[in-house]
Amino acid sequence: MLATRKSQTGQNLTINGDRLWSTLMETAQFGATRKGGIKRLALSDEDRLVRNWLVAKARERGYSVGVDDLGNIYVQRAGRDPDKLPVAMGSHLDTQPTGGKFDGVLGVLAGLEVLRTLDDAGIETDAPLCLINWTNEEGARFAPGEMGSEVFAGDVERSFALTRMDANGITVADALAGIGYRGTERTGERRFAAMVELHIEQGPTLEAEGVPIGVVSHAKGQIWCNGVVEGRESHAGTTPMHLRKDALTAFAEFALAVEAIARAEAPGGVGTIGVAEIGPGSRNTVPGGVQFSLEFRHPEAQALARMYADAHAAAARISNARGVGVMVEKIWSKAPVTFAPEVVETISHAADTLGLKHLPMISGAGHDACAVATVMPTAMIFVPCKDGISHNEAESATPSDCADGANVLLHSVLALAGVHQKAGG
Amino acid sequence: MLATRKSQTGQNLTINGDRLWSTLMETAQFGATRKGGIKRLALSDEDRLVRNWLVAKARERGYSVGVDDLGNIYVQRAGRDPDKLPVAMGSHLDTQPTGGKFDGVLGVLAGLEVLRTLDDAGIETDAPLCLINWTNEEGARFAPGEMGSEVFAGDVERSFALTRMDANGITVADALAGIGYRGTERTGERRFAAMVELHIEQGPTLEAEGVPIGVVSHAKGQIWCNGVVEGRESHAGTTPMHLRKDALTAFAEFALAVEAIARAEAPGGVGTIGVAEIGPGSRNTVPGGVQFSLEFRHPEAQALARMYADAHAAAARISNARGVGVMVEKIWSKAPVTFAPEVVETISHAADTLGLKHLPMISGAGHDACAVATVMPTAMIFVPCKDGISHNEAESATPSDCADGANVLLHSVLALAGVHQKAGG
């Protein structure tokens, strides 16, 4: 091998935006929906096809491919120094049942494009680079989501994850075996110097601000709850207003209280009731019960706890005033994540190098990067998506924004891995 | 026939409370549910059995039985004067899918008990008495309800009613033929001097006041609506509060506005949202749409119209403030009913004669009596039911309250028909 020397790659090195876009469109055929989205549930046949595609592309370029026992795929491009831990780029290729073409997919395919760009430019990194496709980020077929990355981080037990079942009673272990992606490597065994995840924002801020890059320094903590209102079913025609125990109007008051609590903690805080089932659901019956979901998110643990406490106080107040039961119970929570400052700084510097405007951001959604942030220095890059819409077949991002994000990913991992340009030619 | 003479029946004539109760319990076996209620949907096999039971009991006593082309059954006990129009007692034997043992049934079986009591006491009325079992009051299997009585009154077209279908595509006409109750008599052809309907209150007032008899002078008018809220579905984690168009919180504000509108029109006014479907119904998605039902009831037409207008104003206000669509559309309405003052007065006097406390009342529910009030002088008697619960297997009334109601029915129809006691013995 010829000697290499350190090179100023600078802003002149950029990924091939057309090639990135064409891989996005090509792989979007695996599970394509009529409305232009993707249905590629974790460990489905469509997931098998896109995984096979990725592995084939990796082998064409001579990258090593590893698969662990949760089906996470590691595509590694060798570095110059075998003692250095690899720098990772990771996201996911699975989608929601009516998902879009970018959520997760962009992060994986941009990682592939980064590796190809370095090949084409004859650049060798000091540390190896590793592209990771995390299994079942969406949690749509098998709950919970971020499954591959959470097991990697040790926050979810391997045996628990492998025994989760889909609606047809098929376990994760069987589904992995069924598509040929139950690897032998133990999940969580690998070590990485850092990980950078590129992702669409899934929110409206970058588009609204006209800024192409979000540099994500934190992820919001989350508290998920189940709630129930217990009123008294009665005849809508014969029960005077003052004798009612209407579960729906009590719930309505609670829903507005949740909104007020979240508004008081803006801009970081959000509170959402996404599911509500009204019983018995008859036109001429005063509702006797409501079952609902509730979630709060906030980047600060204290504020998150305060929102949850405020919701309990509101439930008690409404319960007393109306003589109905209003109960809220926590079913899951995740602490806020602070991404590694050195990785955040590296991303910010990469965007500056490329002359791209960027905003500091906080992720409101959960991501594989949030899961593994406890076991490796991690941060994220966001790019805009149209109208902030995601988890939707209408999800859309521009070729230019995708390319900008991939370029920031490229320069971030180059900085983290150390750059060497192969001599010769 | 021997000569008859006018008799002071007075408070000494009473129905046989034990016999009434035993017929309630006996017929409750036709469609009995495990929880002690009745499932006897209109024109079902259970409905056929209870109809056959009624007809058999009528024939045992020598009453004439007629059936019209909507399946309404007329059990007539002859009077002395063939020129006088019969005085009717009517209600229904069909129930809700999880109905109770008293709603409708009490009115029919108390009517039968009245006829038997007069036989036993050797009393001949001046005008004939006619017990009517109206078809499909509940509207649970075939919508709309009060079908037999509404067609009788000419407010619903016979051909429309006969072509209504149940969930299995069976028409009313076919179901009538199937159970052998498609009569040849044209519905609405008969004429009556008056009708009195005995019914459980289906509300909490009599029980709360400790009064056994309600004398019903009016029935509330009703406006039924469909409503929709159109917001914007978005990611619950990534959409800041100020950029949301949350259909659920807009709906919550509307539900509380409806409650406030109805409270402002209390005690006569009620407003209810009984059905609400939240879409898409995902924990971590801000709801994009809500579809709901809305109904208002009030005994005064002007106040009813005002409530409806106020709901539109609230919808517009919330729509403007939140930038979401809130639409309400009327799908059905029924004008308030004023029952015939002379029949109301007769009922009131009958209760006085029996020494029973009574309250003037307004019916909040629809009844067969409301339907036919436009074509014959009509009024209603209410008796208490436990906790005001109805349309429920737990529906309950005491033997004593049922007997009191039947006695008021007896003395009301005696007064309306004119009383003659057979001489002899």
Side-chain angles (χ1 to χ4, degrees):
Chain A
M1 186 190 280
L2 297 175
T4 60
R5 60 188 165 82
K6 193 149 195 174
S7 154
Q8 238 357 79
T9 54
Q11 65 192 56
N12 293 326
L13 183 69
T14 55
I15 59 95
N16 182 334
D18 290 341
R19 183 169 57 188
L20 170 60
W21 189 256
S22 82
T23 61
L24 282 163
M25 296 307 114
E26 185 183 345
T27 57
Q29 297 310 308
F30 303 124
T33 64
R34 281 187 310 154
K35 290 184 182 171
I38 304 182
K39 177 181 181 175
R40 197 160 65 210
L41 297 174
L43 313 183
S44 64
D45 201 53
E46 293 77 18
D47 192 15
R48 179 180 66 80
L49 292 173
V50 76
R51 285 164 175 261
N52 288 353
W53 179 95
L54 177 65
V55 168
K57 296 299 172 193
R59 294 210 165 116
E60 272 176 20
R61 293 286 184 150
Y63 311 142
S64 73
V65 176
V67 179
D68 67 21
D69 52 13
L70 257 293
N72 297 316
I73 301 175
Y74 306 91
V75 171
Q76 191 151 315
R77 181 175 184 270
R80 182 170 172 260
D81 184 346
D83 293 337
K84 291 215 163 168
L85 288 176
V87 171
M89 304 173 281
S91 198
H92 60 94
L93 291 171
D94 71 317
T95 76
Q96 288 282 322
T98 53
K101 293 193 286 283
F102 302 92
D103 174 3
V105 187
L106 174 62
V108 176
L109 298 185
L112 178 64
E113 178 54 35
V114 164
L115 300 183
R116 289 169 159 183
T117 297
L118 295 177
D119 289 350
D120 297 348
I123 294 172
E124 187 178 32
T125 53
D126 210 13
L129 293 182
C130 186
L131 167 62
I132 309 175
N133 173 45
W134 296 108
T135 292
N136 185 28
E137 194 272 348
E138 296 291 359
R141 178 179 172 195
F142 300 102
E146 282 108 51
M147 188 176 274
S149 50
E150 288 277 11
V151 172
F152 187 96
D155 285 337
V156 167
E157 286 286 336
R158 168 186 294 89
S159 58
F160 176 82
L162 288 171
T163 53
R164 292 312 88 199
M165 284 191 286
D166 69 7
N168 295 319
I170 298 171
T171 63
V172 168
D174 287 345
L176 280 166
I179 66 162
Y181 278 90
R182 174 112 200 233
T184 49
E185 184 178 325
R186 192 170 173 82
T187 304
E189 214 168 50
R190 290 188 185 229
R191 289 289 169 272
F192 296 97
M195 186 180 93
V196 181
E197 180 170 6
L198 169 66
H199 207 283
I200 56 169
E201 180 196 344
Q202 303 184 283
T205 305
L206 289 174
E207 184 182 51
E209 301 284 335
V211 172
I213 298 293
V215 179
V216 187
S217 59
H218 296 80
K220 291 179 183 177
Q222 303 182 32
I223 294 180
W224 285 27
C225 307
N226 282 340
V228 63
V229 181
E230 290 175 357
R232 190 176 58 209
E233 204 173 302
S234 60
H235 193 296
T238 58
T239 315
M241 297 307 288
H242 70 283
L243 292 178
R244 295 181 175 209
K245 298 201 183 296
D246 187 333
L248 176 61
T249 54
F251 168 70
E253 203 174 331
F254 183 75
L256 292 177
V258 165
E259 185 180 53
I261 288 165
R263 283 176 173 172
E265 301 283 354
V270 289
T272 307
I273 294 176
V275 177
E277 307 278 353
I278 320 301
S282 162
R283 279 183 179 274
N284 56 356
T285 302
V286 177
V290 179
Q291 294 192 304
F292 61 95
S293 71
L294 168 66
E295 55 139 277
F296 289 114
R297 306 194 191 200
H298 200 289
E300 294 159 33
Q302 266 196 326
L304 187 61
R306 188 165 57 229
M307 293 169 89
Y308 180 63
D310 287 352
H312 272 279
R317 178 172 48 73
I318 294 164
S319 189
N320 286 336
R322 290 180 172 266
V324 301
V326 184
M327 279 78 68
V328 169
E329 179 194 26
K330 190 190 294 190
I331 56 164
W332 179 79
S333 65
K334 182 161 175 66
V337 173
T338 300
F339 286 123
E342 67 274 21
V343 183
V344 173
E345 186 54 39
T346 299
I347 293 169
S348 180
H349 187 258
D352 286 338
T353 300
L354 291 158
L356 293 169
K357 282 205 287 186
H358 53 95
L359 277 182
M361 294 196 77
I362 291 167
S363 175
H367 292 288
D368 293 310
C370 307
V372 300
T374 51
V375 294
M376 63 184 88
T378 303
M380 295 186 74
I381 304 160
F382 275 174
V383 292
C385 59
K386 189 168 180 332
D387 298 328
I389 293 171
S390 185
H391 287 195
N392 192 308
E393 291 162 278
E395 187 181 87
S396 177
T398 66
S400 159
D401 287 335
C402 291
D404 284 345
N407 278 319
V408 175
L409 179 65
L410 167 67
H411 286 273
S412 298
V413 298
L414 284 178
L416 290 165
V419 179
H420 288 262
Q421 188 150 20
K422 285 178 184 166
Chain B
M1 185 190 279
L2 298 175
T4 60
R5 59 186 166 83
K6 195 150 196 172
S7 153
Q8 229 12 67
T9 54
Q11 64 193 57
N12 293 325
L13 182 68
T14 55
I15 58 96
N16 181 335
D18 290 341
R19 183 169 57 188
L20 170 60
W21 190 257
S22 83
T23 59
L24 282 163
M25 295 307 114
E26 184 184 347
T27 57
Q29 298 311 306
F30 302 124
T33 64
R34 281 187 310 153
K35 290 184 181 172
I38 304 182
K39 177 180 180 175
R40 196 158 66 211
L41 297 175
L43 313 183
S44 63
D45 201 53
E46 293 78 18
D47 192 14
R48 177 180 67 81
L49 292 172
V50 77
R51 286 165 173 261
N52 287 352
W53 180 94
L54 178 66
V55 168
K57 296 299 171 195
R59 293 207 165 118
E60 274 176 20
R61 293 282 184 153
Y63 310 142
S64 73
V65 176
V67 179
D68 69 20
D69 52 12
L70 258 291
N72 298 315
I73 302 174
Y74 306 90
V75 171
Q76 191 151 316
R77 182 175 184 269
R80 180 170 174 262
D81 185 344
D83 293 338
K84 290 213 163 173
L85 288 176
V87 172
M89 305 173 281
S91 199
H92 59 95
L93 291 170
D94 70 319
T95 76
Q96 288 283 320
T98 54
K101 293 194 285 284
F102 301 92
D103 173 2
V105 187
L106 174 62
V108 176
L109 298 185
L112 178 65
E113 178 54 35
V114 164
L115 300 184
R116 288 168 159 186
T117 296
L118 294 178
D119 289 349
D120 298 349
I123 293 172
E124 186 178 31
T125 52
D126 212 12
L129 293 183
C130 186
L131 167 61
I132 309 176
N133 172 46
W134 296 109
T135 292
N136 186 27
E137 194 273 348
E138 296 292 359
R141 178 178 173 196
F142 300 100
E146 283 105 52
M147 189 177 274
S149 50
E150 288 277 9
V151 173
F152 187 95
D155 285 338
V156 168
E157 285 288 336
R158 170 186 291 91
S159 58
F160 177 83
L162 289 171
T163 53
R164 291 311 89 199
M165 283 192 286
D166 70 6
N168 296 318
I170 299 171
T171 63
V172 168
D174 288 345
L176 280 166
I179 65 164
Y181 278 90
R182 174 112 201 233
T184 49
E185 184 178 326
R186 192 169 173 82
T187 304
E189 214 168 51
R190 290 187 184 231
R191 289 288 170 271
F192 296 96
M195 187 180 92
V196 180
E197 180 169 7
L198 169 65
H199 207 281
I200 56 170
E201 179 195 346
Q202 304 185 284
T205 304
L206 288 174
E207 184 181 50
E209 301 284 335
V211 171
I213 298 292
V215 179
V216 188
S217 59
H218 296 80
K220 291 179 183 177
Q222 305 182 31
I223 294 180
W224 287 25
C225 307
N226 283 339
V228 62
V229 181
E230 291 175 357
R232 192 177 55 209
E233 203 173 304
S234 60
H235 193 297
T238 58
T239 315
M241 297 306 288
H242 71 283
L243 292 179
R244 294 180 175 209
K245 297 201 183 298
D246 187 333
L248 176 60
T249 53
F251 168 70
E253 203 173 330
F254 183 74
L256 293 177
V258 165
E259 185 180 52
I261 289 166
R263 283 177 174 172
E265 300 285 354
V270 289
T272 307
I273 294 177
V275 176
E277 307 277 353
I278 320 300
S282 163
R283 279 184 179 275
N284 56 356
T285 302
V286 177
V290 179
Q291 293 192 305
F292 60 95
S293 70
L294 167 66
E295 54 140 277
F296 289 113
R297 304 193 192 200
H298 201 288
E300 294 160 32
Q302 265 197 325
L304 187 62
R306 188 164 57 229
M307 293 170 90
Y308 180 63
D310 287 352
H312 272 281
R317 178 172 48 73
I318 294 163
S319 189
N320 286 335
R322 290 182 173 264
V324 301
V326 184
M327 280 78 68
V328 169
E329 180 194 25
K330 191 189 296 189
I331 56 164
W332 179 78
S333 65
K334 181 161 175 67
V337 173
T338 299
F339 286 123
E342 67 276 22
V343 184
V344 174
E345 186 54 38
T346 301
I347 294 168
S348 180
H349 187 258
D352 286 338
T353 301
L354 291 157
L356 293 170
K357 280 204 290 187
H358 52 94
L359 277 182
M361 293 196 75
I362 291 166
S363 175
H367 293 287
D368 293 310
C370 306
V372 299
T374 51
V375 294
M376 62 185 89
T378 303
M380 296 186 74
I381 304 160
F382 276 174
V383 292
C385 59
K386 189 170 182 328
D387 298 328
I389 292 173
S390 184
H391 287 195
N392 192 309
E393 290 161 277
E395 187 181 87
S396 177
T398 67
S400 158
D401 286 335
C402 290
D404 284 346
N407 279 319
V408 176
L409 179 65
L410 167 66
H411 286 274
S412 298
V413 297
L414 285 177
L416 291 164
V419 179
H420 290 260
Q421 188 152 21
K422 287 179 183 164

